[in-house]
Amino acid sequence: MNHVLRGLASNAALPPELTDRLIAMADEDVAATLAGRADLSRVQAVALAARVADSAVQLVRTGRLTAADVDPLARPDAALALLERGSGTPEQARRFAVDPLRERRERLAACPGLPSDVVARLAADPDVRVVAELALWTTPDVAARLAGHPHAEVRRAVAANEATPPAVLAALATGEGLPPALRCLVCDREAVPFVHDRQCGRLDCDLLPGASCDGSHESTVHDMHQAAIRNPATPVDAVVGFAGNPSMLLRWALAARRDLPGEASARLAEDPVPGVRADLAANPAIGDALIRALAGDRDPDVRRGLAHNPNVPLDVLTGLAGSTRIGSTLLPRIVAASPAEAEDLARSSVPAARMLLALRRDLPAGIRDGLAADPDAKVVKALAPHPGFTEAQLQAMTDRHGAQVAAGVTANPDATPALLEALARRDVPAKKALRAIARHHRATAPALLACFQDSRARQAAAGHPALPPQVIVELLGDPDPQVAEAAAGNPSLPPPAMAELVPR
């Protein structure tokens, strides 16, 4: 891999004539980068696809090539990519519907807007994997027809399709109104009863670990039930009975349903599996009484899930913040806090609760400035990137808390060039601060040069347009290939230096 040429291929300031020269000599890595350029013309895209065949798919997916530019016989993957975007032709779809390679028919089955005759052919495909892929993405009427397919794998796919009519999903979940499936992928290949060894060493075997069939196709039916439970279009009345199912996976899937009724929620709140209770705790469907009950759960994952529930009362959240490691995550309930609630949180005696509020980036000036003077470094660290601070305020934060808040201060969009320079030139600057400075739009050349002492910051600084041109040219020969690549992609790299990198 030529890192310098790959970096140059990403350079936003690359002149068109150098883009042409890069196309003429591109390998797969350079071609992949060139294909992502926003300024690539259609002529250049066609030339790049001719140079590196694998780039055609990427060029199709970014809209650089159309059906007129792609020969399906020479570039079948690119033609399928067009169909996946909905921009292929009916003739191309019909060709792939009878393609001898199952993988291509399977890809076609997932494409939108297929002609009805193509859909009919795929629904009758001799390979059930093609039919299942169609069932997963097809329209409501076709999904309804495939729900009664004799193969359990097709029914599993229908159960996962959100376009499947609710009544059909209910039938798949309960088994009512549908004839039993006759086959599954397991009994297609093995004599039943059969349980697939989880440590199977056969190279030609693609059955899932633990897949089993005793004649009832139980592992596939289980997966179908799980898909139906997770499908938001499935009526909840058809799946609430799974709250008492022996399968942990089915109960776990049910716990995340956003329309879960109270009786099922109460039952799942007593589930012996912490993961089930944790997903239930994060579910906005549960009521206040259950929220308060789960707040006393002994498992930290359950309490952490509850903290992410958008309906958790603030007093409960404050208690959780003081007893549970929630992390530096902006929680939905904090985002939704009213001005009065934000005031209350800012005055909380629990530092972790104030920290959660400090993660917001739209705080009123009064609350923002009050938290800036907080005695707890974790609060100030969370607040430091908040826009609107003056240089004096940011400097005061670093004076009080030092390296603990330096990275947050340097990530602040309003940090001044002088402050960035001062923090970069400290005797022992924080590594995270240097990395933030190297990416800061206000960073100056002196600050960027100071960032070179950290390897990761050096890489980011090498691509910063404020770096002096002569330094950028020197970095092209850096022993770290990532640094050299970043320098080649720097838009401040002088055009003559760019030209020297690309042989004629």
Side-chain angles (χ1 to χ4, degrees), residues 431 433-436 438-439 448 451-462:
K431 289 184 177 181
L434 291 175
R435 294 163 192 172
R439 295 188 296 269
L448 293 169
C451 291
F452 281 13
Q453 57 191 293
D454 176 73
S455 59
R456 287 173 58 184
R458 181 184 182 89
Q459 180 182 339

Side-chain angles (χ1 to χ4, degrees), residues 97-122:
V98 295
D99 195 288
L101 289 181
R102 185 263 305 171
E103 292 81 3
R104 291 177 183 167
R105 303 196 309 276
E106 196 170 355
R107 281 183 63 184
L108 176 67
C111 295
L114 295 174
S116 58
D117 60 307
V118 172
V119 172
R121 181 178 287 275
L122 293 171

